[in-house]
Amino acid sequence: MLNLPLWQLTGYRALVTGATKGIGEAIVDQLLSLGAEVFLVARDNALLQEKLENYRQGGFAVEGLAEDVGRPGAAARIMEEVTARWGSLDLLVSNAGTNIRKPTVEYSTDEFDFLLNTNLKSGYELCRAAYPLLKTSGGQQPGKAAIVFVSSVSGFTHTSSGSIYGMTKAALHQLAKNLGVEWAPDGIRVNAVAPWYVHTPLAEPVLNNPEKRAAILGRTPMGRTGQPEEIAATVAFLCMPAAGYITAQSLAVDGGMLAWGM
């Protein structure tokens, strides 16, 4: 028989980046519904404050900071705020990401740096900055502390999303493996969730193109795109005690796309 506390997050404190739109917003909703307190990070301060107020009116415990995770020093500033307001942290969901779709030879150096800083370096730096608090949490209850990267199937195989985007997502998968092994003795689990196309603002330009949408659905055994809530539920599972023996993994949530051969 399952032990009910395995499937809840009451008493947990979670940090979520890219927290006001798309998958990030759905992750915040899911974590709050499971009992966690959540610290939201997003670039748009007006939207962030609106979300925080709505959550508080609903009786949820939230904090937040307007910050661009791709800017130099962002991770340190975020963790300074988390430490000042909470003094503890159990969960880190590195969700913020973006893309510029174009042929490899057309990227500028600035675009390359922008994508790497936003999609990869931000998560790497946040892990390092959050490590002391996560180690304290993991030391109190082994496996309680967890990091989840929101990656992409583009980190497993070629897609039309561009070479730089795919590079950054593949690197997140490897980072999850490395940290999952390196930090296991500290009681910190590290995993990644890799979606296929999901209805989000980032994917809208592609999904609103009938020809591209048809091609995407034609490569998806389930015959549909994903919903943010489906990705969020997977992230939440990897945060819960129910996933306490899972680490160093990258889980595709793709409607079967990667498994479909000829």
Side-chain angles (χ1 to χ4, degrees), residues 173-245:
H173 296 166
Q174 188 61 42
L175 184 57
K177 288 183 175 69
N178 286 6
L179 293 184
V181 173
E182 181 181 340
W183 290 356
D186 298 315
I188 303 170
R189 297 181 297 107
V190 188
N191 294 290
V193 172
W196 176 223
Y197 273 96
V198 177
H199 280 279
T200 66
L202 184 64
E204 279 180 3
V206 177
L207 295 178
N208 288 340
N209 181 308
E211 183 177 343
K212 291 181 178 179
R213 179 179 175 84
I216 291 165
L217 297 183
R219 291 293 304 143
T220 309
M222 291 184 71
R224 66 175 177 86
T225 54
Q227 295 298 324
E229 294 76 15
E230 294 173 310
I231 311 306
T234 307
V235 171
F237 165 67
L238 291 173
C239 289
M240 287 190 289
Y245 200 50

Side-chain angles (χ1 to χ4, degrees), residues 121-221:
K121 188 176 180 181
S122 65
Y124 169 76
E125 293 293 357
L126 263 175
C127 288
R128 285 160 36 103
Y131 173 72
L133 292 183
L134 293 173
K135 182 179 179 181
T136 298
S137 172
Q140 295 170 345
Q141 182 178 328
K144 179 180 182 181
I147 298 170
V148 181
F149 299 113
V150 177
S151 176
S152 167
V153 294
S154 298
F156 288 122
T157 190
H158 167 75
T159 70
S160 60
S161 295
S163 60
I164 302 175
Y165 184 80
M167 288 166 55
T168 61
K169 299 305 184 177
L172 287 177
H173 296 166
Q174 188 61 42
L175 184 57
K177 288 183 175 69
N178 286 6
L179 293 184
V181 173
E182 181 181 340
W183 290 356
D186 298 315
I188 303 170
R189 297 181 297 107
V190 188
N191 294 290
V193 172
W196 176 223
Y197 273 96
V198 177
H199 280 279
T200 66
L202 184 64
E204 279 180 3
V206 177
L207 295 178
N208 288 340
N209 181 308
E211 183 177 343
K212 291 181 178 179
R213 179 179 175 84
I216 291 165
L217 297 183
R219 291 293 304 143
T220 309

